[in-house]
Amino acid sequence: NLQLNTGAQMPQVMFGTYKTKGESCFSAVLSALRSGYRGMDTASVYANEKEVGAAIRESGIPRQQLFIQTKLWRSFVGNGKNGKPRCDAEVRKSLRSLGTDYVDVWLMHWPGPGRHLNYPPVRMGMDRPKQPIQGNEAKVVPVDWTPQLRLQAYKDMCKHVGPAGSVRALG
């Protein structure tokens, strides 16, 4: 384990849930927990936090023995229509889905300006007009994905951090 500045012990190897859905996600997470994994990595955009939470409950392992990490997808930054940071609702949604009062680490999912930006097919695709995907409009990355916007998102996320808060550490 690695000790965080909060004192929490973060497993060096965690069980990732990217691209797992439904019953197969539930079964995989439950199997991982029964095999000894104590670190779970998920994200709201994976749409599997409910299954991860259900498997954790089914395992019977006390919450204090687990390390749960989830992520805020970068399209859920800035203020919503109500004027409040969109991340506030997203962390509450993650906690409800996971069935826990807190997460050990909350990460901003893919905070950089982009990955593999110098790879020619990616660069060519960046110049193409973007085609919205029906039902996926809320997940579109902000056009103004600037360092200032990312810093403000971290500031908004920080409001949830504390030893007794819903988030114990940020990343």
Side-chain angles (χ1 to χ4, degrees):
N1 288 345
L2 302 172
Q3 185 169 336
L4 301 181
N5 65 344
T6 62
Q9 295 292 315
M10 179 176 168
Q12 290 186 37
V13 177
M14 298 205 302
F15 189 77
T17 62
Y18 178 55
K19 291 194 176 185
T20 60
K21 303 273 189 240
E23 180 60 34
S24 64
C25 176
F26 171 83
S27 298
V29 171
L30 185 58
S31 178
L33 289 165
R34 288 179 174 161
S35 298
Y37 279 90
R38 292 299 177 261
M40 293 291 125
D41 173 73
T42 187
S44 60
V45 77
Y46 298 170
N48 64 13
E49 289 176 322
K50 237 178 221 175
E51 290 82 0
V52 171
I56 288 170
R57 286 187 298 283
E58 177 73 21
S59 76
I61 299 167
R63 172 63 184 91
Q64 300 80 356
Q65 293 179 19
L66 299 173
F67 189 94
I68 302 173
Q69 167 178 293
T70 193
K71 303 172 201 80
L72 175 72
W73 184 242
R74 62 190 190 167
S75 57
F76 297 109
V77 301
N79 289 338
K81 292 177 185 174
N82 62 3
K84 295 180 181 176
R86 293 177 74 197
C87 69
D88 293 356
E90 284 300 305
V91 74
R92 286 192 301 271
K93 181 177 144 191
S94 287
L95 293 169
R96 265 193 319 274
S97 295
L98 289 164
T100 186
D101 294 334
Y102 68 96
V103 291
D104 297 284
V105 170
W106 191 27
L107 304 172
M108 186 184 303
H109 208 151
W110 200 5
R115 169 170 94 171
H116 311 303
L117 292 182
N118 290 322
Y119 184 58
V122 173
R123 287 197 74 70
M124 290 175 1
M126 289 171 54
D127 296 331
R128 281 190 221 130
K130 305 302 178 242
Q131 299 296 321
I133 299 170
Q134 189 162 350
N136 225 17
E137 295 87 359
K139 295 179 183 174
V140 174
V141 174
V143 175
D144 61 341
W145 191 237
T146 62
Q148 293 79 14
L149 182 64
R150 293 192 298 273
L151 183 58
Q152 184 58 51
Y154 275 119
K155 287 179 183 177
D156 292 338
M157 292 169 75
C158 280
K159 297 172 190 168
H160 300 278
V161 177
S166 56
V167 175
R168 302 297 161 90
L170 283 183

